[in-house]
Amino acid sequence: MNPLCLVIGVLVSFAALPGFAQPYPKSAGPADPKLIEDLILANRILYQQGVVDAMGHISVRHNKDPNRYLISLARAPELVTAADIMEYDLDSNPVRDPGRRQYSERYIHGEIYKLRPDVNAVVHNHSPGVIPFSVSNVPLRAIAHSGGFMADGIPVWEIREAGGMTDMLVSNAKFGRSLAEKLGDKAALLMRGHGAAVTGKSIEYVVGRSIYLEVGAKLQAQAMALGGTVNYLSPEEGRKIEARRDYIRSWEMWKRQAMGK
Ligand SMILES: [Zn+2]
């Protein structure tokens, strides 16, 4: 046999072996255009509502494959367009060469989707009102009806426990996994000295929760500043509220604002 053919043959059979690193995971195909449209609007809404600034991101699970999710390439949320939306597998590998910078903290999304089949949308933000609660021993709790999803508790994730001294970014799967495990079955989690990760069963829910997590943090700080005893919602009240919760009216309004109408 020609030695060149032999070399090519060995390489081809090696590449076919299970576990051999293929360049990109397989795409689930084009996502529902409505999902992409809502994802773009959600980016704008989160900016308009003060949940994200130039940083922060939102993702949604792919409508055709629960093992894929959609998120923008690295861009300020207000500026995201359909051309920026990328598909990733749950290890947060892109399905094609993105050709541009990607969000370094996308592992937050992929690792939460792995552990939480009930979650279809995730937000990571640095919303300012919640950060004091991530560095204080005062827990963030549900103080108002709009924060019913907070009544079961909002854990605080400490990146030092996962990686010691770091730049505090969730820039690999190991940190993402640790964060997702700390989140457990809760709606949201604070990241010490950094921000929050928020989950929802849809884009509308994760946007609503992100907005009202920030509102709740401000209200709690105000209530505590009054100096008396604060009377929080009980977990049972929270569950009853959330059983009836929808964001239909709010989403319609936020969406109109985001579309500039
Ligand atoms: Zn961050």
Side-chain angles (χ1 to χ4, degrees), residues 57 69 71 88 92 94 102-110 170:
H57 22 88
Y69 71 93
I71 191 169
Y88 288 87
S92 297
Q102 306 165 69
Y103 288 134
S104 63
E105 295 194 284
R106 60 188 184 277
Y107 301 94
I108 295 171
H109 304 259
V170 186

Side-chain angles (χ1 to χ4, degrees), residues 36 107-108 150 202 225 243:
I36 304 277
Y107 301 94
I108 295 171
M150 299 159 70
S202 68

Side-chain angles (χ1 to χ4, degrees), residues 15-95:
L17 285 173
F20 184 84
Q22 298 296 320
Y24 298 107
K26 193 173 178 301
S27 167
D32 180 355
K34 167 88 169 43
L35 200 64
I36 304 277
E37 186 191 325
D38 282 352
L39 186 57
I40 294 161
L41 286 168
N43 271 279
R44 286 188 207 160
I45 292 165
L46 291 171
Y47 171 71
Q48 289 176 346
Q49 298 291 323
V51 172
V52 296
D53 46 23
M55 303 300 182
H57 22 88
I58 174 168
S59 69
V60 67
R61 217 187 269 272
H62 199 300
N63 58 292
K64 285 184 184 156
D65 185 348
N67 295 313
R68 297 284 182 273
Y69 71 93
L70 307 164
I71 191 169
S72 173
L73 287 167
R75 171 154 279 174
E78 199 206 2
L79 306 179
V80 167
T81 68
D84 301 316
I85 304 299
M86 275 290 299
E87 180 185 340
Y88 288 87
D89 70 6
L90 299 193
D91 289 329
S92 297
N93 299 308
V95 302

